[in-house]
Amino acid sequence: MVSILHLVSGIGANWGTQSTHNLPPEIVVKMLKDNGFQKVKLFDADYDTLKALGNSGIEVMVGIPNDMLTTLGSLKAAEKWVSKNVSVHLSHNNVNIRYVAVGNEPFLETYNGSYLRTTFPALQNVQTALVKAGHGNQVKVTVPLNADVYESASSLPSGGDFRADIHNFVIQIVKFLSDNGCPFTINIYPFISLYMDSNFPVEYAFFDGNATPLNDGGIIYTNMFDANHDTLVWALKKNGFGNLPIIVGEIGWPTDGDRNANLQLAQRFNQGFMAHISEGKGTPMRPGPVDAYLFSLIDEDAKSIQPGNFERHWGIFAYDGRPKYSLNLGTTNSGSLVPASNVKYLERKWCVLKPDAKLDDPQIAPSVSYACARADCTSLGYGTSCGGLDARGNVSYAFNSYYQINNQLDVACKFSGLGTITKSDPSTPSCKFGITIEPYYGGAEQKFVYTRLLLSLILLLWTIL
């Protein structure tokens, strides 16, 4: 255990906040510390989140969303952003900011080139602004990219190079990072490969050594992570940047929303990854410690499900900070995840389909569609945690999700007279009907709380009654 503690003490976590009910930042920071996380990667620069990280000692990577890249094409705008989101927290709040992530997977193929020409100017300007503000030595820029920016013509790591259609754009960024002593950040997802290709060799996604080995000129690969990572190493080497530091910005496995997304496989993958990197061996082409951030810390029920329903279930913790499964991060003496403390829930009550309601009622289908479009029904469906519910259970699950997201307002359980509130937990052994946590409103939002609740109530009355 001592050696594990030494080698993986730097494991990081991605802390996303696309949720209808976020835990207060102070609770999350305590949870990070209790579990021995020494690094955290954010997707924006929310003031309350960063302030809560002050004096924690946790290394922070703050994020700049893709929709801000165009604006930061202006140096003046970049200087203003750095002053507000970096300088203030370094000097006044004692936040240990080490990186600024300029964009988030901006070259993703599904974006169809939308950010190809705005990413590099933003990167340049943020770097210039950091240096001008005197932070150049402590805070480094990077661009988290998806592994689809490189490929291998030979299907072997040694054939790796950056995709031809974006080659010049990537190399421009790589050279800039190299010139300024900044790391290359890559997100690697064996789960996505399995999700996209039913013929993907499942065992190759894991670290148990059960996969058919891949022989690349005498170098043996028994898992996708090593092979994918080294494809990047070869791509960098091939273009003259073989020594550029690499950060694994995201790696993980979801627990619901797909037949291959469950607690058992997530535990197997994440524990396997932790054991793999705890040895400190790195990959065949990059020996040494691996700098990585698990994806993700907490489930996010408001994430886009365009890539798949699993998107809302990446957390090693549930929405309320409860550990989903046993996971030894090698960072605490207990060897198991520590739950969030002082979490406040709403009442123990649920919204379900009335017992006397008929399933052939013409209002059932539109009510379920309405609820699922505005809440989270991604745990329903083939191979998911709630996939075994009967028809009435499916309707009740949809109703309850909407009811909880709307803070258990009575009007949110009307559904044309089909819904009823119960204090008897409708959960099954495999399917949990949630109770939401108390809504958190950040300091900057406090004065809008009552207005927002009033508007929400008016909207519900207008749409449901």
Side-chain angles (χ1 to χ4, degrees), residues 352-354 357-372 374 391 394-396 398-399 413-419 462-465:
V352 297
L353 180 65
K354 279 184 176 177
K358 301 287 192 292
L359 284 173
D360 59 359
D361 188 305
Q363 289 303 312
I364 290 275
S367 294
V368 170
S369 294
Y370 181 89
C372 287
R374 291 159 180 80
N394 285 331
V395 176
S396 292
F399 283 7
C413 189
K414 294 296 184 187
F415 295 107
S416 303
L418 293 169
W462 179 261
T463 55
I464 296 176
L465 294 181

Side-chain angles (χ1 to χ4, degrees), residues 83-319:
S83 174
K84 178 183 176 184
N85 299 296
V86 177
S87 300
V88 166
H89 293 292
L90 287 174
S91 58
H92 297 304
N93 297 328
N94 197 26
V95 183
N96 186 18
I97 298 174
R98 299 297 301 274
Y99 301 105
V100 175
V102 183
N104 182 45
E105 298 187 337
F107 294 172
L108 199 65
E109 281 191 275
T110 52
Y111 290 147
N112 295 318
S114 300
Y115 306 109
L116 282 179
R117 288 173 172 78
T118 56
T119 303
F120 184 61
L123 183 71
Q124 282 181 304
N125 287 334
V126 171
Q127 167 68 11
T128 300
L130 286 169
V131 171
K132 190 173 180 180
H135 310 316
N137 290 329
Q138 178 179 345
V139 186
K140 300 295 183 181
V141 292
T142 188
V143 182
L145 293 170
N146 186 277
D148 72 355
V149 299
Y150 49 86
E151 58 193 3
S152 172
S154 65
S155 298
L156 296 172
S158 58
D161 200 352
F162 298 109
R163 272 186 13 234
D165 59 318
I166 58 171
H167 192 276
N168 292 341
F169 291 103
V170 177
I171 292 301
Q172 188 179 43
I173 287 174
V174 167
K175 184 179 186 307
F176 184 82
L177 294 175
S178 178
D179 290 345
N180 290 280
C182 304
F184 188 102
T185 301
I186 196 68
N187 300 339
I188 299 175
Y189 283 112
F191 170 82
I192 302 291
S193 298
L194 179 59
Y195 177 77
M196 300 289 286
D197 180 7
S198 59
N199 294 316
F200 182 85
V202 178
E203 290 298 323
Y204 197 52
F206 299 96
F207 301 90
D208 309 316
N210 297 330
T212 301
L214 183 70
N215 189 329
D216 186 2
I219 296 176
I220 305 299
Y221 291 93
T222 58
N223 68 81
M224 181 189 164
F225 170 76
D226 283 357
N228 190 296
H229 183 279
D230 282 2
T231 304
L232 168 61
V233 175
W234 275 104
L236 290 169
K237 187 177 179 181
K238 207 164 287 182
N239 289 280
F241 301 95
N243 295 319
L244 189 66
I246 295 172
I247 290 176
V248 180
E250 298 178 17
I251 185 165
W253 198 281
T255 58
D256 211 348
D258 181 71
R259 63 191 180 92
N260 290 310
N262 56 55
L263 297 174
Q264 293 74 28
L265 292 182
Q267 195 274 344
R268 181 185 174 196
F269 179 84
N270 283 329
Q271 193 61 76
F273 177 70
M274 291 307 306
H276 186 62
I277 67 169
S278 73
E279 297 171 359
K281 294 178 182 176
T283 64
M285 291 298 295
R286 271 290 176 93
V290 175
D291 191 356
Y293 296 79
L294 292 180
F295 192 88
S296 68
L297 190 66
I298 307 170
D299 279 354
E300 299 172 78
D301 68 346
K303 279 192 77 178
S304 168
I305 56 172
Q306 190 173 3
N309 287 342
F310 56 83
E311 281 293 346
R312 295 176 177 173
H313 304 278
W314 287 99
I316 58 174
F317 293 91
Y319 69 98

